[in-house]
């Protein structure tokens, strides 16, 4: 039954099989992930939800290559992840813009060496993608939270990664900005044809964006259940099927907490 | 006593209200008036504390004769030389030790051993090595200004935001760019603080060094005036150091504000 949910669109882009990931806590090792298995297809949008502390951010850090000390195999197209790589981009919870660099410089920060003109064109194109073309020379301190996070998205995209990892990217934004950025993100996903893995605690966001919603159980984190979202896009949050699915996921999460 | 407390309270209040300009002059004005009152009333002997007017007279005389400028210029030149040396070494070594763990491991012990030694304790050796006039003084100043600069720069590199380190890792940013665009700008506020504290140390050291040896400089002028019981000249010398030091600090502070534009500093609640 579970295997039916592992539908892959273009083969496994990302194969996750983490036997164990532990952290050194004050009173010995703390298990963050255990027996975590997940397959993600090419161009798939997977949303991972779970209570805070369930290890979903840890999972994202492992995929990003920031945390290579784990037992198991997390592989991108069959190659085990041992460190960061430009094939994976990441957007963190907070924008992480360098305050002393302009918006354009922050985006260019991600680019490998290249000619100045080439870089400028790439940066400009990506600022346009996130609708910030007029803010190239602004400093992060002059931006709103939503704008700053859009710069972070542009920076993550500028190397044309095949997989974009999003770690609760809209969690700190106000509701209106969040809705707008969700829409923009979906447009980017559609246009750039990339794989996206988003960690969130917002169930509605997960259902609105994902092809699939993965519910993680609490510590040690593992996949509790998966929900395929077979709703056409653009999705309406008021749609009966949408609401039903949202409620089902909500119950599942609460059952885990209970 | 009550009056003083009241005035102090009013002064604090005016600062808290966000007032600048004339409010800055309140406390100095009060102190000056107190000073004048105490000396004019004949409460203290002029040799212990001359009146403000006497000091002003001495200042005019010393400025007119060129005595003040000569000594101040000598000290100023030494401070600049010693401070420049300290700045180059302090920033260089602070950066180096912060960036290269091997350099830190091999040199930190020695540096920490030398740090607690007061710069002035080096004077006998410095005079032997570098001569009694310029060399020894510049050495003492450089030594005194070096440690605050070095310590702050090292701290500045150390406190590089872990989140930015992670970001650079994920983006595979080359080392050179990482240093130039993450580490150095992040350390800049610390570097500037180090330079400002270092400059203040430089002034302390120059006067201390000149007090003990030499024929020129504000420190020499102070000992000379004390020997001749010219208290007014001593005070002129002290104030001159204060004014020049403050002016140089203002220059550095203005520079800091220009360079570290992205930071808004906390100015008190």
């Amino acid at each position: 039954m579970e295997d039916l949910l592992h539908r892959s669109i273009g083969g496994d882009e990302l194969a996750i099989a983490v036997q164990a990931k532990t952290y050194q806590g004050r009173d010995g090792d703390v298990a963050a992930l255990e027996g975590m298995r997940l397959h993600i297809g090419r161009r798939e949008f997977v949303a991972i939800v779970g209570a805070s502390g369930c290890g979903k951010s840890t999972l994202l850090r492992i995929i990003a290559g920031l945390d290579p000390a784990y037992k198991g195999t997390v592989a991108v197209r069959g190659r085990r992840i041992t460190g960061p790589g430009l094939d994976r981009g990441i957007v963190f919870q907070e924008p992480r813009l360098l305050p002393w660099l302009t918006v354009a410089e922050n985006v260019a920060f991600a680019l490998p060496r290249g000619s100045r003109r080439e870089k400028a064109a790439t940066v400009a194109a990506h600022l346009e993608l996130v609708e910030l073309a007029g803010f190239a020379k602004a400093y992060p301190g002059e931006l709103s939270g939503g704008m700053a996070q859009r710069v972070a998205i542009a920076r993550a995209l500028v190397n044309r990664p095949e997989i974009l990892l999003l770690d609760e990217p809209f969690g700190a934004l106000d509701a209106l900005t969040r809705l707008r950025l969700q829409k923009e993100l979906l447009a980017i996903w559609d246009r750039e044809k990339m794989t996206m893995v988003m960690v969130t605690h917002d169930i509605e966001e997960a259902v609105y964006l994902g092809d699939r919603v993965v519910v993680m159980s609490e510590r040690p984190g593992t996949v509790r259940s998966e929900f395929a979202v077979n709703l056409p896009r653009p999705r309406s949050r008021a749609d009966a099927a949408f609401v039903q699915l949202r409620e089902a996921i909500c119950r599942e999460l609460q059952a885990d907490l209970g | 006593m009550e009056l003083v407390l009241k005035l102090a309270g009013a002064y604090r209040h005016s600062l808290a209200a966000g007032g600048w300009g004339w409010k800055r002059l309140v406390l100095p004005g009060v102190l000056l008036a107190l000073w004048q009152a105490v000396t004019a009333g004949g409460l203290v002997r002029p040799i212990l504390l001359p009146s403000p007017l006497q000091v002003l007279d001495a200042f005019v005389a010393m400025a007119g004769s060129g005595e003040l400028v000569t000594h101040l210029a000598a000290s100023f030149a030494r401070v600049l030389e010693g401070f420049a040396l300290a700045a180059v070494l302090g920033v260089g070594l602070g950066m180096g030790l912060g960036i290269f763990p091997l350099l830190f491991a091999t040199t930190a012990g020695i540096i920490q051993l030398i740090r607690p030694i007061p710069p002035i304790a080096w004077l006998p050796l410095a005079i032997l090595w570098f001569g009694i006039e310029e060399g020894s003084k510049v050495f003492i100043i450089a030594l005194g200004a070096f440690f605050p600069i070095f310590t702050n720069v090292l701290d500045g590199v150390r406190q590089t935001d872990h989140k930015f380190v992670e970001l650079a890792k994920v983006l595979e940013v080359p080392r050179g760019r990482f240093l130039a665009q993450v580490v150095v700008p992040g350390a800049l506020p610390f570097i500037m603080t180090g330079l400002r504290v270092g400059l203040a140390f430089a002034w302390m050291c120059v006067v201390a060094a000149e007090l003990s040896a030499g024929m020129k400089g504000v420190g020499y002028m102070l000992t000379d005036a004390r020997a001749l019981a010219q208290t007014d000249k001593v005070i002129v010398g002290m104030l001159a150091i204060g004014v020049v030091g403050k002016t140089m600090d203002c220059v550095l502070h203005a520079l800091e504000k220009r360079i570290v534009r992205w930071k808004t500093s906390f100015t008190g609640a």
Side-chain angles (χ1 to χ4, degrees):
Chain A
M1 155 73 188
E2 209 180 84
D3 281 322
L4 285 178
L5 291 167
H6 290 156
R7 74 198 169 94
S8 297
I9 296 167
D12 270 357
E13 177 80 351
L14 190 58
I16 298 161
V18 180
Q19 283 152 24
K21 166 73 205 170
T22 52
Y23 274 116
Q24 280 182 342
R26 215 176 302 163
D27 316 308
D29 287 354
V30 179
L33 295 171
E34 210 173 88
M36 170 93 203
R37 291 183 150 274
L38 188 63
H39 293 263
I40 294 170
R42 196 161 298 170
R43 292 181 194 172
E44 197 180 6
F45 197 130
V46 172
I48 301 173
V49 294
S52 52
C54 73
K56 51 194 195 303
S57 287
T58 305
L59 177 67
L60 223 54
R61 291 175 57 84
I62 289 177
I63 302 172
L66 284 170
D67 218 336
Y70 62 92
K71 259 188 225 145
T73 310
V74 176
V76 177
R77 293 187 193 163
R79 293 187 57 182
R80 187 180 194 273
I81 291 169
T82 51
L86 293 182
D87 55 336
R88 285 152 284 147
I90 185 163
V91 179
F92 296 100
Q93 290 175 23
E94 71 295 332
R96 282 196 203 189
L97 302 180
L98 297 160
W100 43 82
L101 298 184
T102 63
V103 163
E105 287 165 345
N106 262 291
V107 177
F109 181 70
L111 283 173
R113 293 184 185 87
S115 83
R116 186 172 290 196
R117 194 185 302 167
E118 219 175 295
K119 274 188 176 183
T122 314
V123 169
H126 282 82
L127 283 180
E128 205 149 314
L129 188 70
V130 294
E131 294 175 21
L132 279 176
F135 292 88
K137 291 200 169 88
Y139 282 89
E142 302 163 338
L143 304 179
S144 70
M147 287 157 82
Q149 199 56 296
R150 295 219 296 264
V151 177
I153 293 173
R155 181 181 58 195
L157 292 174
V158 81
N159 283 317
R160 307 202 141 267
E162 275 124 27
I163 303 173
L164 185 66
L165 306 167
L166 302 125
D167 187 2
E168 296 184 32
F170 308 142
L173 304 178
D174 65 89
L176 270 175
T177 311
R178 197 181 313 156
L179 293 186
R180 191 171 157 202
L181 283 192
Q182 285 167 0
K183 220 169 162 182
E184 282 180 22
L185 184 68
L186 217 46
I188 290 169
W189 173 72
D190 199 39
R191 206 170 341 159
E192 305 289 312
K193 314 240 179 286
M194 54 174 56
T195 309
M196 288 196 184
V197 183
M198 177 192 258
V199 156
T200 177
H201 50 237
D202 181 344
I203 301 170
E204 192 173 276
E205 178 171 86
V207 177
Y208 180 77
L209 293 173
D211 289 318
R212 193 149 49 108
V213 179
V214 175
V215 178
M216 278 180 71
S217 67
E218 259 195 299
R219 199 171 297 208
T222 182
V223 174
R224 183 179 168 89
S225 47
E226 294 183 34
F227 294 82
V229 187
N230 292 316
L231 300 170
R233 291 190 177 94
R235 293 169 184 164
S236 158
R237 291 175 173 82
D239 184 67
F242 187 102
V243 173
Q244 225 169 20
L245 189 56
R246 195 190 69 201
E247 290 307 313
I249 294 170
C250 194
R251 274 196 300 276
E252 187 73 17
L253 262 175
Q254 268 160 356
D256 183 54
L257 289 173
Chain B
M1 193 62 210
E2 226 169 75
L3 178 75
V4 174
L5 282 176
K6 225 172 167 181
L7 281 169
Y11 178 70
R12 266 174 48 108
H13 188 75
S14 70
L15 283 185
W20 299 115
W22 67 272
K23 283 170 184 164
R24 292 179 168 199
L25 300 175
V26 172
L27 186 59
V30 168
L31 289 176
L32 202 63
L34 266 170
W35 180 8
Q36 175 65 31
V38 166
T39 47
L43 284 170
V44 290
R45 288 161 55 203
I47 192 160
L48 294 182
L49 183 66
S51 77
L53 286 175
Q54 245 176 302
V55 172
L56 187 67
D57 276 347
F59 168 74
V60 171
M62 289 162 80
S65 69
E67 187 187 357
L68 185 61
V69 176
T70 314
H71 289 301
L72 211 51
S75 298
F76 188 74
R78 289 168 183 157
V79 164
L80 276 192
E81 278 176 57
F83 176 69
L85 209 61
V88 170
L89 285 174
V91 173
L93 280 176
M95 284 277 165
L97 264 69
I99 293 165
F100 305 106
L102 183 67
L103 191 63
F104 182 84
T106 47
T107 58
I110 298 173
I111 290 175
Q112 270 145 22
L113 188 77
I114 297 174
R115 180 155 57 180
I117 304 173
I120 210 69
W122 285 84
L123 195 63
L125 263 189
I127 291 175
L128 285 174
W129 291 351
F130 305 109
I132 197 151
E133 264 312 322
E134 294 310 309
S136 61
K137 293 182 178 64
V138 171
F139 173 78
I140 299 286
I141 295 162
L143 199 66
F146 169 80
F147 283 104
I149 299 173
F150 166 79
T151 311
N152 273 286
V153 173
L154 183 59
D155 268 4
V157 175
R158 284 279 153 78
Q159 59 75 53
T160 299
D161 196 333
H162 178 67
K163 291 182 166 177
F164 292 150
V165 177
E166 226 174 55
L167 179 75
K169 235 189 239 173
V170 172
L171 296 173
E172 299 191 322
V173 172
R175 189 177 169 81
R177 192 191 304 168
F178 172 67
L179 293 178
Q181 296 198 331
V182 177
V183 177
V184 174
L188 259 183
F190 290 77
I191 296 175
M192 293 310 295
T193 303
L195 290 177
R196 288 175 66 188
V197 178
L199 187 60
F201 270 66
W203 274 106
M204 289 180 213
C205 290
V206 74
V207 173
E210 288 168 352
L211 280 175
S212 352
M215 298 297 288
K216 259 191 320 187
V218 184
Y220 168 75
M221 193 181 86
L222 288 179
T223 20
D224 197 40
R226 185 196 54 82
L228 300 171
Q230 294 169 319
T231 316
D232 46 357
K233 281 178 89 170
V234 171
I235 295 178
V236 170
M238 288 167 67
L239 288 176
I241 296 167
V243 169
V244 175
K246 167 73 183 157
T247 309
M248 286 175 82
D249 185 61
C250 281
V251 171
L252 275 183
H253 189 50
L255 196 70
E256 177 180 357
K257 273 193 167 166
R258 271 190 73 94
I259 301 175
V260 191
R261 259 171 319 183
W262 62 88
K263 268 213 162 150
T264 43
S265 48
F266 175 67
T267 54

